[in-house]
Amino acid sequence: MTLQFLFTTLLLFLPALSPGCFSRQKDLALTSSGEKAIGIRDIAVLSPSRILVTDYTNKTLRLLDSVNGGVVSQVKLPGSPCGVCLLEDGRAVVALYDMKQLQFCRIVGDSLSLDESIQVNDSVWGVSACGSSHLLVSYCSPGGVKKMTMDGRVIDEVDNQKTGKQLFQKPCNIAMLNSGDVFVSDVGTCTIIQMDRNLRITKTFTSPMIKKPWGNVSVSTDQLLVAGRDSDSIIVLNPTSGLVTPLLGKTDGIQQPFAMAWCPASKKLFVGRDGTETTLSVFTV
């Protein structure tokens, strides 16, 4: 049984999330002793005890102990990392915004190392695996989403010119539900854009409860969590009904939420704040 199969199975048994379902746990340390704060941009769950975090400030990819906190391993990157995702071959890929580059990293046990990299034509922010042979990337200026092969060949693309509408302004994180639907949070328009894996746009969502949506993460086949940095909130979106429900806010300790990750095995939600931080917030169902 593969880890991906196990995670997918666990998703099927997750109850619908509702206000009050989360309880806050002890924060996790993001840094080693005496180390300065980091600028977290994205989080990826490797296992119930390990998570990956992109450190924009120090240009590193960090492997953290998600149970006890602390840095297990880290690798220096050639540029400033934003999005990160795991691949089916056990590697991770990081979007280097300032370098217009996708950097692949190897994960062997608790050790990180640099692998190959590919140049792209745009300042990439978000990245998500689309099956075993394709990547989805979001990019800024002028803004849009591309589907490409692992060697960087673009096979599909959507932007304002193709849609004839000003849908994209600053698309950031990308999440994919088990159904294959893709969701992109556009912080410029405060919109969540839904499309299929061939980048055909199907729906868009806005809500006064979500301001400046950055992080988004799939938690089940019909539940998407979205972090609103300027609304100090995390909401759950049901794409089928369009229903938006507030889950966490200021009273729960949510302040400028930026990056998120969900671990279905431990039922933990990891939340990183904007700015420079030394800890990561953790919530459990």
Side-chain angles (χ1 to χ4, degrees), residues 122-170:
D122 311 285
S123 297
V124 287
W125 186 284
V127 59
S128 175
C130 184
S132 60
S133 57
H134 296 97
L135 296 171
L136 298 176
V137 298
S138 62
Y139 55 93
C140 303
S141 184
V145 179
K146 291 181 179 180
K147 182 178 181 180
M148 61 179 59
T149 59
M150 293 294 175
D151 60 1
R153 181 172 59 88
V154 177
I155 56 176
D156 279 308
E157 181 177 4
V158 61
D159 55 21
N160 292 335
Q161 185 175 356
K162 278 201 169 184
T163 63
K165 302 176 183 179
Q166 295 300 308
L167 285 178
F168 298 100
Q169 193 175 108
K170 192 174 182 179

Side-chain angles (χ1 to χ4, degrees), residues 3-269:
L3 184 62
Q4 182 63 44
F5 178 81
L6 177 60
F7 274 24
T8 301
T9 302
L10 288 167
L11 288 174
L12 300 176
F13 295 97
L14 180 71
L17 300 178
S18 60
C21 68
F22 282 111
S23 60
R24 186 165 184 176
Q25 306 299 307
K26 181 181 178 181
D27 287 0
L28 290 177
L30 289 168
T31 60
S32 303
S33 178
E35 193 179 17
K36 64 182 180 180
I38 78 170
I40 185 172
R41 288 297 178 267
D42 201 7
I43 311 166
V45 173
L46 183 60
S47 73
S49 63
R50 296 290 186 264
I51 57 175
L52 293 171
V53 172
T54 56
D55 176 359
Y56 191 89
T57 303
N58 301 295
K59 297 183 179 181
T60 61
L61 178 66
R62 295 174 179 241
L63 179 62
L64 302 182
D65 182 335
S66 57
V67 177
N68 303 305
V71 180
V72 177
S73 177
Q74 62 182 344
V75 63
K76 193 73 174 180
L77 299 167
S80 301
C82 290
V84 60
C85 74
L86 297 173
L87 304 178
E88 290 187 6
D89 63 8
R91 295 184 299 168
V93 60
V94 182
L96 302 181
Y97 180 81
D98 55 340
M99 300 293 289
K100 297 183 179 180
Q101 183 175 308
L102 294 172
Q103 175 68 58
F104 294 82
C105 296
R106 291 201 173 276
I107 309 166
V108 180
D110 281 339
S111 178
L112 300 176
S113 61
L114 296 183
D115 200 6
E116 62 188 359
S117 64
I118 55 174
Q119 289 297 131
V120 292
N121 294 326
D122 311 285
S123 297
V124 287
W125 186 284
V127 59
S128 175
C130 184
S132 60
S133 57
H134 296 97
L135 296 171
L136 298 176
V137 298
S138 62
Y139 55 93
C140 303
S141 184
V145 179
K146 291 181 179 180
K147 182 178 181 180
M148 61 179 59
T149 59
M150 293 294 175
D151 60 1
R153 181 172 59 88
V154 177
I155 56 176
D156 279 308
E157 181 177 4
V158 61
D159 55 21
N160 292 335
Q161 185 175 356
K162 278 201 169 184
T163 63
K165 302 176 183 179
Q166 295 300 308
L167 285 178
F168 298 100
Q169 193 175 108
K170 192 174 182 179
C172 294
N173 286 58
I174 302 176
M176 179 179 286
L177 298 187
N178 287 341
S179 62
D181 290 326
V182 178
F183 295 83
V184 178
S185 55
D186 193 303
V187 69
T189 60
C190 293
T191 302
I192 306 299
I193 302 167
Q194 180 180 352
M195 59 188 78
D196 64 22
R197 62 176 60 223
N198 294 316
L199 307 188
R200 291 185 291 259
I201 294 173
T202 53
K203 296 178 185 177
T204 59
F205 304 91
T206 58
S207 170
M209 288 186 285
I210 191 76
K211 298 175 182 177
K212 298 294 183 182
W214 288 86
N216 58 27
V217 61
S218 168
V219 293
S220 72
T221 55
D222 59 357
Q223 296 178 94
L224 182 78
L225 296 188
V226 183
R229 186 195 67 183
D230 287 8
S231 52
D232 294 323
S233 63
I234 294 174
I235 61 96
V236 59
L237 167 67
N238 184 313
T240 303
S241 65
L243 183 64
V244 174
T245 305
L247 283 184
L248 296 165
K250 284 185 176 181
T251 57
D252 305 293
I254 296 295
Q255 292 182 322
Q256 293 190 312
F258 201 87
M260 291 193 302
W262 167 255
C263 178
S266 61
K267 293 185 172 57
K268 286 183 179 180
L269 176 68

Side-chain angles (χ1 to χ4, degrees), residues 269-281:
L269 176 68
F270 302 95
V271 182
R273 296 173 291 276
D274 194 10
T276 53
E277 300 291 335
T278 58
T279 61
L280 190 69
S281 300

